[in-house]
């Protein structure tokens, strides 16, 4: 008897997951092709897949788009790594110690609702329009989300697990290294994966102002020339990079924390 797949919280084979995922992309591109082929949408607003592919080839081979990609990736990773280095220990401290949580939770909850894009004019005034300004936008947009999500993951550790570790002789200091970190690290890596996706939205906004290179810069220049095919290439490139990074994070999670595989 075949296993039913439409069951709440029931898993699926890896092969079925890959097939369904690929099929979803095929359906999306088929709809895109039909919309343009049947002229249901003007190509000024929605370029054909063929035109988008040819524009992408031109961008990569003749327009130096690879440089723009590398610049943007460098900005994202620099800002995100700085945010992660600060957020991981701080998030664990907030999740473990109630006084730290009482002091910082309200402040971080306040900062979490402030849009990073609103600070771009201030950052330009304070820092200038160089790389530091764009990296600062990434840090501001990522750090509070990371800290709060990591703190929440830490709080979800069962207290009975902590009590058992004390019974077995673990000290209050060592319980962080021997119990809390091993239990929390898979969730932390997953949190990094999720927030890194948000970081990409911040960098594109940052590159729309005061930039001379990057994917966001290419997109805004294309908009001024009404070249929607180039805009689509930029958007699809970000999507492909995000998908690859997402798969890498999932692979790392399985490799680094095999005990967490469900």
């Amino acid at each position: 008897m075949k296993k039913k797949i439409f069951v709440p919280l029931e898993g699926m084979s890896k092969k079925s997951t890959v097939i369904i995922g690929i099929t979803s992309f095929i359906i999306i591109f088929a709809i895109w092709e039909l919309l343009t082929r049947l002229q249901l949408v003007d190509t000024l607003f929605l370029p054909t897949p063929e035109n988008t592919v040819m524009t992408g080839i031109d961008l990569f081979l003749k327009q130096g788009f690879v440089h723009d990609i590398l610049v943007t990736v460098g900005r994202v990773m620099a800002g995100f790594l700085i945010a992660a280095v600060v957020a991981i220990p701080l998030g664990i401290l907030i999740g473990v110690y109630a006084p730290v949580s009482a002091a910082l939770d309200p402040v971080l909850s306040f900062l979490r609702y402030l849009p990073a894009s609103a600070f771009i004019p201030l950052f330009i005034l304070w820092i200038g329009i160089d790389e530091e300004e764009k990296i600062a936008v990434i840090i501001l947009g990522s750090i509070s989300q990371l800290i709060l999500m990591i703190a929440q993951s830490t709080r979800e550790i069962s207290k009975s697990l902590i009590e058992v570790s004390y019974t077995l002789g673990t000290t209050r200091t060592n319980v962080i290294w021997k119990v809390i970190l091993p239990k929390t690290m898979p969730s932390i890596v997953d949190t990094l994966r999720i927030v890194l996706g948000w970081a990409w939205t911040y960098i594109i906004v940052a590159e729309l102002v005061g930039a001379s290179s990057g994917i966001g810069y290419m997109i805004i220049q294309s908009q001024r020339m009404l070249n929607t095919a180039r805009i689509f290439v930029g958007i699809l490139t970000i999507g492909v990079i995000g998908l690859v990074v997402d798969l890498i994070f999932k692979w790392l999670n399985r490799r680094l924390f095999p005990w967490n595989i469900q």
Side-chain angles (χ1 to χ4, degrees), residues 135-201:
I135 293 173
V137 173
I138 296 294
I139 296 172
L140 179 65
S142 305
I143 194 165
S144 58
Q145 311 284 354
L146 279 172
I147 294 173
L148 291 172
M149 291 176 71
I150 291 170
Q152 183 59 36
S153 297
T154 306
R155 292 190 187 105
E156 290 174 356
I157 296 177
S158 173
K159 289 186 178 180
S160 61
L161 187 64
I162 306 296
E163 292 169 357
V164 168
S165 69
Y166 288 147
T167 303
L168 295 174
T170 305
T171 64
R172 291 183 178 180
T173 302
N174 285 339
V175 75
I176 296 178
W177 301 101
K178 294 183 177 181
V179 179
I180 294 175
L181 269 179
K183 180 64 176 176
T184 310
M185 280 308 295
S187 296
I188 291 176
V189 172
D190 211 41
T191 295
L192 293 174
R193 176 180 67 85
I194 293 169
V195 178
L196 180 56
W198 300 345
W200 274 91
T201 65

Side-chain angles (χ1 to χ4, degrees), residues 6-216:
F6 284 101
V7 178
L9 299 180
E10 187 67 34
M12 230 178 13
S13 68
K14 186 176 180 181
K15 181 180 178 181
S16 298
T17 302
V18 172
I19 291 173
I20 292 175
I22 293 174
T23 303
S24 299
F25 278 103
I26 293 173
I27 291 172
I28 291 171
F29 281 102
I31 293 172
W32 180 10
E33 175 70 26
L34 284 173
L35 288 174
T36 54
R37 180 77 64 179
L38 300 177
Q39 298 181 347
L40 298 176
V41 181
D42 195 307
T43 54
L44 176 64
F45 305 107
L46 182 66
T48 64
E50 295 85 355
N51 187 25
T52 303
V53 170
M54 296 306 297
T55 300
I57 293 173
D58 181 69
L59 279 171
F60 277 97
L61 297 182
K62 299 179 181 179
Q63 305 297 325
F65 188 47
V66 173
H67 172 72
D68 287 318
I69 294 173
L70 293 176
V71 168
T72 297
V73 170
R75 289 167 178 163
V76 171
M77 296 311 300
F80 187 75
L81 287 175
I82 293 171
V85 167
V86 176
I88 292 174
L90 198 53
I92 293 172
L93 288 175
I94 291 173
V96 171
Y97 298 112
V100 181
S101 176
L104 296 181
D105 237 342
V107 176
L108 291 167
S109 296
F110 170 78
L111 291 175
R112 184 167 66 93
Y113 283 95
L114 300 180
S117 56
F119 282 82
I120 292 177
L122 285 175
F123 284 155
I124 291 175
L125 288 174
W126 294 342
I127 307 173
I129 60 173
D130 294 329
E131 297 302 301
E132 292 83 359
E133 175 261 332
K134 296 161 186 62
I135 293 173
V137 173
I138 296 294
I139 296 172
L140 179 65
S142 305
I143 194 165
S144 58
Q145 311 284 354
L146 279 172
I147 294 173
L148 291 172
M149 291 176 71
I150 291 170
Q152 183 59 36
S153 297
T154 306
R155 292 190 187 105
E156 290 174 356
I157 296 177
S158 173
K159 289 186 178 180
S160 61
L161 187 64
I162 306 296
E163 292 169 357
V164 168
S165 69
Y166 288 147
T167 303
L168 295 174
T170 305
T171 64
R172 291 183 178 180
T173 302
N174 285 339
V175 75
I176 296 178
W177 301 101
K178 294 183 177 181
V179 179
I180 294 175
L181 269 179
K183 180 64 176 176
T184 310
M185 280 308 295
S187 296
I188 291 176
V189 172
D190 211 41
T191 295
L192 293 174
R193 176 180 67 85
I194 293 169
V195 178
L196 180 56
W198 300 345
W200 274 91
T201 65
Y202 303 133
I203 189 59
I204 296 303
V205 174
E207 287 181 343
L208 296 180
V209 181
S212 58
S213 60
I215 300 175

